Amino acid sequence: MNGMDWRRMVIALAAGLGGAAVAQLLGLAAAALIGSALAVTIVALLGLKPDIPNPLRNVAFCVISVSLGSGVTPDILAEISHWPLSILLLAVTVLVVMIVCGLILRLMFGADATTAALATSPGALSYTLALAADRNADLRFVMLLQSLRLFLITVLLPPMIGFANGGVGAGPAADVPHLHIGEVAVLLAVTYGLGMILTRLRFPAPYILAGLAVSGIAHATGIVAGRPADMVLFFGFSVTGAVIGARFTGFTLSEIKRLALAGFVSTAVAVAVSVAGAFAASGLLDLPFGQVWVSYAPGGVEGMTTMALALGYDPVYVATHHVFRILFLIGILPVMVGLFAAVGRKSGKT
């Protein structure tokens, strides 16, 4: 890592931890995640180029995923029996989001068919950008709209859930014990190692899956019981928020102003569709609406599972749905891009 990289990392960490601390003092829901994302986004738009290096990012994801694994209980098998229908409804929701938002971007904002399809993909960002480069889509349009969607959902979802719950937001369970520092160190080390292996095997969200497996098995078998200390979680939330905010590095204010309306409109429609899907699943399966909404929200798997943990929802349920969404998108995105392109050719647009 060169000197400039160190400077950018220090800027990102200073802004992220500072913003997280302020949000925590203000008593916001998912405070560390939201505060860090906001602060680092501001710093990025000021041109200071914050950056979180991949090893540090992966450590933070390990902290989050080890904490997610503490949600594994002996009742997990009975709970999983409700999930197939919930996952099916999620798949339908994803398809509706892509079709409706893609049409909006094409008809209202003049995006070409391929760019519209990829800009509305609710997740799988790395894969989406690879497809965008391969299919000659407008890469900056796709990246900026994806970043705006993730930022808006990360910042606005917790207060919206609190409003939907009558002003009462969920909170992390207070009765979960803390792991000893040695237990945390071993779990994180094993998770990081497995995450590296899964990365080489091209698994989606490898460090989240690794932590769920390692920590989940350790909790299910009674080897450990509890989650990392609050300060460790604060670090994980803050760095994850900084990763979200740092995505705005390299964009100018004029670019953001030009595409902001497209980002706001497409995100609002995507959220509305996810609300409808979550409402249906919640009613059919008798599950907490907020928990299903976080699971259906078109955000990144790391950000949404972090939010589930911060809000006190079943982390295994949420993580399972977001990992499925990534796998579903990997399979369906090329098909959707082809369909959009075919429709565009028939209508005289590309």
Side-chain angles (χ1 to χ4, degrees):
M1 185 179 280
N2 58 39
M4 180 60 71
D5 291 328
W6 278 105
R7 175 181 172 276
R8 293 172 63 182
M9 182 186 72
V10 169
I11 289 171
L13 288 177
L17 293 171
V22 171
Q24 197 110 309
L25 289 173
L26 294 175
L28 301 180
L33 180 69
I34 292 176
S36 177
L38 275 170
V40 176
T41 297
I42 292 170
V43 167
L45 294 179
L46 290 174
L48 297 178
K49 299 182 179 180
D51 182 53
I52 297 294
N54 287 344
L56 181 59
R57 178 202 66 184
N58 294 338
V59 169
F61 290 170
C62 288
V63 170
I64 298 303
S65 62
V66 164
S67 304
L68 294 173
S70 66
V72 175
T73 68
D75 300 326
I76 188 70
L77 292 178
E79 295 171 358
I80 288 175
S81 65
H82 292 92
W83 296 0
L85 178 57
S86 178
I87 287 174
L88 175 61
L89 290 171
L90 170 61
V92 173
T93 301
V94 168
L95 287 174
V96 173
V97 165
M98 292 191 67
I99 293 170
V100 175
C101 291
L103 288 173
I104 287 172
L105 291 180
R106 290 192 65 228
L107 299 177
M108 292 179 60
F109 299 98
D112 64 81
T114 301
T115 299
L118 294 171
T120 57
S121 168
L125 180 62
S126 297
Y127 180 68
T128 300
L129 293 177
L131 275 180
D134 183 61
R135 305 296 175 88
N136 294 317
D138 185 338
L139 199 59
R140 291 183 75 80
F141 184 101
V142 173
M143 180 64 180
L144 183 52
L145 258 67
Q146 291 279 359
S147 298
L148 279 171
R149 172 181 51 79
L150 181 57
F151 172 78
L152 290 171
I153 289 172
T154 300
V155 172
L156 298 178
L157 194 61
M160 286 193 296
I161 288 174
F163 178 79
N165 290 337
V168 180
D175 57 349
V176 178
H178 287 151
L179 296 168
H180 295 297
I181 187 66
E183 294 173 325
V184 174
V186 170
L187 288 173
L188 289 178
V190 176
T191 295
Y192 198 96
L194 180 57
M196 291 176 67
I197 294 172
L198 295 182
T199 299
R200 288 183 175 272
L201 295 175
R202 298 185 180 277
F203 274 72
Y207 291 92
I208 295 294
L209 288 178
L212 275 173
V214 171
S215 182
I217 291 171
H219 281 85
T221 56
I223 296 174
V224 297
R227 66 183 182 193
D230 291 342
M231 285 304 297
V232 177
L233 287 176
F234 179 83
F235 165 81
F237 291 157
S238 299
V239 173
T240 301
V243 170
I244 294 170
R247 286 183 172 174
F248 288 92
T249 296
F251 289 109
T252 64
L253 283 174
S254 61
E255 280 183 299
I256 293 175
K257 288 178 182 177
R258 180 171 61 87
L259 297 177
L261 183 58
F264 278 109
V265 171
S266 59
T267 298
V269 172
V271 168
V273 172
S274 73
V275 167
F279 185 79
S282 174
L284 287 171
L285 302 176
D286 194 26
L287 292 170
F289 171 72
Q291 174 177 300
V292 182
W293 192 4
V294 173
S295 304
Y296 281 33
V301 58
E302 294 87 4
M304 294 301 99
T305 50
T306 301
M307 188 177 297
L309 185 65
L311 295 176
Y313 293 127
D314 180 349
V316 181
Y317 174 91
V318 175
T320 299
H321 282 66
H322 280 286
V323 169
F324 166 80
R325 180 165 51 85
I326 291 176
L327 294 172
F328 182 67
L329 283 168
I330 289 172
I332 201 69
L333 259 179
V335 177
M336 296 297 291
V337 169
L339 289 174
F340 268 67
V343 172
R345 285 192 296 269
K346 286 184 179 180
S347 63
K349 294 181 179 181
T350 57

